[in-house]
Amino acid sequence: MSNTDDQSKLSSASDQKDQDVPFRSGFVALVGRPNVGKSTLLNACLGQKVAITSPVAQTTRKRLRAVVNTDHSQLVIVDTPGLHKPKDALGKELNRAALSELEDVDVVAMLIDATKPVGRGDEWVAQHVAACNAPFKLLVITKLDISNPEQLNAQLEAARKLAPFDDELAVSAVEDFNVDGFLDIVSAHLPEGPRWFPEGMTIDSTPEDLVAEFVREKAFLHLREEIPHSVGVVCNSIEYPNDDHAEIDATILVEREGQKGIVIGKGGQMIKTIGTEARHDIERLLDRKVYLKLDVKVQPKWRRDQNEIRRMGYDAGE
């Protein structure tokens, strides 16, 4: 028998094996306390930055769905706001948005920071995870890159007591350690089904939503000691005058006049820094040069105003 015949038979056997593997698809919710690494893990799974991150708790305000396609599965991973004790209408709405994602998903992954002791906040999140109807519940210990083995073992021991998890693993999304392992475990426990989204689709957010988020991320990073939670961002418009450029108009909202001065900075330096750094991310997102116009507006007590919360897209929806 010739080598060509051998290769043909091997190829046919491989093709048959692929055909025998069922295609699986479904929805996966990432839940946990603020700043445990949900958005970082989502970005690592997708292989690109779509969810904003910062050291400030409650950075995530909008639910974001990322679509991860493999040869035999499609995972729709849902990044949720960190569950916390709310202090205003915005906080209550963020909690409601996160908890609503537990209602109709195939997998719930509860994330716990390896570097911070398991506490009452984790217990509260775990109660909701235990009560939800998701068929598969996964415990994920995050930030393995900045923890030591003693911390990891202690976290695992404490976390196992929180809820009846079906499986567990530790990851470092920053160093891309065990991210594929996370995808493999989740994929194996999705139901058989079709692709819910086209293969070329990676997220279900609009460009306007992502622009607002990238601007807010840079504001959080540079203002985290002063006023981050008072900052909201609205993308007013995106225009494409030609194939190579985009013109974007966005507004940063704060609650007090003094905060407006901090955001603008001495000689306009702070808002220039925020705009420049945000523009780099937006250019990668849109794959074109961007002119970004930023204004700052005072909107007193907007975090307590349900209409403003809804206008910025931070509400949980119906």
Side-chain angles (χ1 to χ4, degrees):
M1 184 179 293
S2 68
N3 289 337
T4 303
D5 290 337
D6 288 340
Q7 291 172 356
S8 178
K9 286 193 173 184
L10 287 171
S11 177
S12 297
S14 176
D15 291 344
Q16 182 62 46
K17 184 177 179 181
D18 285 344
Q19 291 173 5
D20 292 340
V21 176
F23 191 85
R24 299 182 179 276
S25 62
F27 293 77
V28 184
L30 306 181
V31 298
R33 292 168 60 190
N35 218 23
V36 294
K38 298 181 293 296
S39 298
T40 305
L41 178 58
L42 181 142
N43 288 336
C45 289
L46 195 59
Q48 61 177 297
K49 179 178 177 177
V50 293
I52 67 172
T53 62
S54 87
V56 180
Q58 298 149 41
T59 297
T60 300
R61 289 177 178 170
K62 294 185 179 183
R63 180 204 69 189
L64 177 67
R65 286 178 175 174
V67 182
V68 179
N69 290 293
T70 73
D71 290 340
H72 302 295
S73 66
Q74 183 180 78
L75 299 79
V76 184
I77 304 176
V78 187
D79 185 20
T80 65
L83 290 161
H84 63 290
K85 185 176 181 179
K87 297 180 180 180
D88 48 39
L90 175 60
K92 292 177 182 178
E93 200 65 30
L94 297 183
N95 274 357
R96 193 163 76 92
L99 293 175
S100 69
E101 293 300 329
L102 299 178
E103 296 173 4
D104 192 26
V105 293
D106 303 290
V107 174
V108 171
M110 179 175 171
L111 278 60
I112 291 180
D113 186 338
T115 67
K116 297 179 180 178
V118 171
R120 294 179 61 184
D122 295 301
E123 293 174 3
W124 185 72
V125 176
Q127 289 175 5
H128 290 281
V129 172
C132 79
N133 294 320
F136 187 75
K137 298 168 184 177
L138 177 64
L139 169 65
V140 181
I141 306 297
T142 63
K143 306 186 183 181
L144 199 59
D145 53 299
I146 56 173
S147 66
N148 57 52
E150 291 75 18
Q151 287 176 309
L152 175 60
N153 290 332
Q155 292 299 76
L156 281 170
E157 184 177 349
R160 287 167 182 158
K161 300 175 183 177
L162 296 177
F165 295 104
D166 298 297
D167 206 343
E168 62 190 36
L169 82 162
V171 303
S172 168
V174 171
E175 295 187 347
D176 202 27
F177 175 78
N178 241 0
V179 173
D180 286 342
F182 170 81
L183 293 174
D184 289 342
I185 290 174
V186 171
S187 295
H189 290 89
L190 294 177
E192 294 184 28
R195 293 187 190 273
W196 294 104
F197 296 95
E199 284 194 63
M201 181 175 177
T202 55
I203 51 175
D204 70 346
S205 295
T206 66
E208 287 81 3
D209 285 340
L210 292 175
V211 165
E213 289 293 270
F214 285 142
V215 172
R216 188 167 62 85
E217 176 189 52
K218 305 313 176 188
F220 268 41
L221 289 171
H222 289 283
L223 303 170
R224 64 174 185 251
E225 299 300 327
E226 290 94 355
I227 56 170
H229 295 300
S230 297
V231 170
V233 180
V234 178
C235 179
N236 304 309
S237 65
I238 302 179
E239 296 181 357
Y240 302 95
N242 54 55
D243 293 338
D244 300 323
H245 291 79
E247 296 179 356
I248 299 175
D249 180 87
T251 301
I252 299 175
L253 271 67
V254 294
E255 294 184 309
R256 297 193 301 272
E257 195 65 38
Q259 294 171 341
K260 178 178 179 179
I262 294 173
V263 173
I264 293 173
K266 186 176 181 180
Q269 188 58 47
M270 178 58 73
I271 195 169
K272 181 179 179 181
T273 298
I274 292 169
T276 299
E277 294 186 6
R279 179 168 51 79
H280 294 323
D281 282 343
I282 297 167
E283 287 180 340
R284 284 193 292 269
L285 171 72
L286 300 180
D287 193 26
R288 64 185 66 208
K289 293 292 184 181
V290 165
Y291 169 73
L292 175 62
K293 178 178 178 290
L294 290 179
D295 293 317
V296 185
K297 177 182 176 182
V298 178
Q299 186 71 32
K301 299 182 180 179
W302 71 260
R303 287 180 295 170
R304 301 178 185 275
D305 186 333
Q306 195 66 41
N307 289 329
E308 281 299 313
I309 292 170
R310 188 176 297 111
R311 185 172 76 90
M312 282 186 274
Y314 299 150
D315 61 315
E318 299 302 327

